[in-house]
């Protein structure tokens, strides 16, 4: 019983710019690192986090949740409440978004390419070498692809692009900076450049499109 009493559960409601900025992956990594179980999901007003574990670890979680926020995230307001600890918790997971009829969200802006993506972009050995639509949880399109909130791939213009196996593996890997990166894409599965000289012109794709456009 001593053990059971030492376990607590808390629910945090976080408001601000917390969607499309790597917030859920941040929560997942932090909770996992601290050995906490629970879940995080996007809601119509931000994000909801449920964490369970020893009180000291929960305190460390709350501290680092905000002190180590992803660069593009911004928390305007948050609340915490005690919840009933659950049994049979296997780990920490990112769960499906909750919806309501009245979204009160801060839509994330598009973000300039980050240093890590830039390095890949110009690395001939990288599978996204010179891929113009490169992105990750720290950069890339948000506002310009969002059609619906909460922010998830099916609610964006990326819905029609099914991730290839390599991209899907990154999306599922907590250690990847593309973990739950909604616009994740590569030359094999994502959008690509197309160039036509006039509406009826022959289409040129990818590098050819770029070369044609530059020469025009
Ligand atoms: Zn990036
Ligand atoms: Zn891909």
């Amino acid at each position: 019983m001593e053990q059971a009493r030492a376990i607590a559960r808390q629910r945090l409601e976080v408001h601000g710019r917390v969607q499309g900025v790597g917030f859920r992956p941040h929560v997942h990594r932090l909770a996992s690192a601290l050995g906490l179980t629970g879940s995080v999901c996007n809601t119509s007003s931000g994000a909801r986090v449920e964490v369970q574990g020893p009180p000291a670890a929960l305190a460390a979680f709350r501290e680092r949740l905000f002190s180590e926020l992803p660069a593009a995230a911004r928390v305007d307001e948050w609340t915490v409440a005690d919840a009933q600890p659950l049994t049979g918790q296997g780990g920490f997971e990112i769960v499906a978004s909750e919806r309501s009829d009245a979204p009160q969200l801060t839509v994330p802006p598009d973000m300039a390419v980050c240093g890590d993506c830039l390095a890949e972009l110009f690395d001939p050995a990288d599978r996204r070498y010179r891929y113009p639509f490169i992105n990750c949880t720290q950069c890339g399109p948000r506002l310009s692809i969002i059609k619906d909130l909460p922010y998830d791939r099916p609610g964006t213009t990326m819905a029609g692009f099914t991730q290839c196996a390599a991209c899907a593996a990154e999306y599922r890997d907590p250690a990847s900076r593309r973990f739950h990166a909604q616009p994740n894409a590569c030359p094999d599965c994502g959008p690509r450049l197309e160039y036509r000289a006039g509406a009826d012109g022959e289409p040129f794709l990818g590098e050819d499109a770029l070369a044609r456009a530059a020469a025009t």
Side-chain angles (χ1 to χ4, degrees), residues 111-118 120 134-140 142 177-178:
M111 293 182 282
V113 63
C114 73
D116 289 335
C117 284
L118 214 48
E120 291 172 351
I134 192 168
N135 69 81
C136 74
T137 50
Q138 296 309 299
C139 74
R142 301 290 187 273
R177 73 177 199 286
R178 296 193 170 93

Side-chain angles (χ1 to χ4, degrees), residues 31-182:
S32 301
L34 292 168
L36 300 173
T37 59
S39 63
V40 58
C41 69
N42 282 343
T43 68
S44 293
S45 60
R48 175 176 305 128
V49 184
E50 295 222 2
V51 275
Q52 178 168 325
L58 292 181
F61 175 83
R62 288 197 308 276
E63 152 73 22
R64 291 175 59 187
L65 178 66
F66 301 112
S67 67
E68 298 175 13
L69 269 188
R74 192 194 69 222
V75 172
D76 296 333
E77 205 182 307
W78 64 281
T79 60
V80 59
D82 289 329
Q84 190 64 34
L86 302 179
T87 53
Q89 290 274 286
F92 195 89
E93 51 184 6
I94 294 177
V95 297
S97 299
E98 284 188 2
R99 289 171 171 278
S100 81
D101 292 337
Q104 301 172 306
L105 273 174
T106 305
V107 177
D110 295 342
M111 293 182 282
V113 63
C114 73
D116 289 335
C117 284
L118 214 48
E120 291 172 351
L121 184 66
F122 295 117
D123 176 3
D126 193 274
R127 68 191 188 89
R128 292 188 179 86
Y129 178 55
R130 292 177 61 82
Y131 180 55
F133 303 101
I134 192 168
N135 69 81
C136 74
T137 50
Q138 296 309 299
C139 74
R142 301 290 187 273
L143 174 67
S144 59
I145 61 168
I146 288 175
K147 297 167 74 178
D148 195 13
L149 293 169
Y151 174 61
D152 286 305
R153 191 175 180 105
T156 72
T157 55
M158 294 299 292
F161 298 92
T162 302
Q163 293 184 86
C164 67
C167 286
E170 293 169 335
Y171 186 91
R172 290 191 304 264
D173 177 8
S176 169
R177 73 177 199 286
R178 296 193 170 93
F179 181 47
H180 279 259
Q182 304 305 329

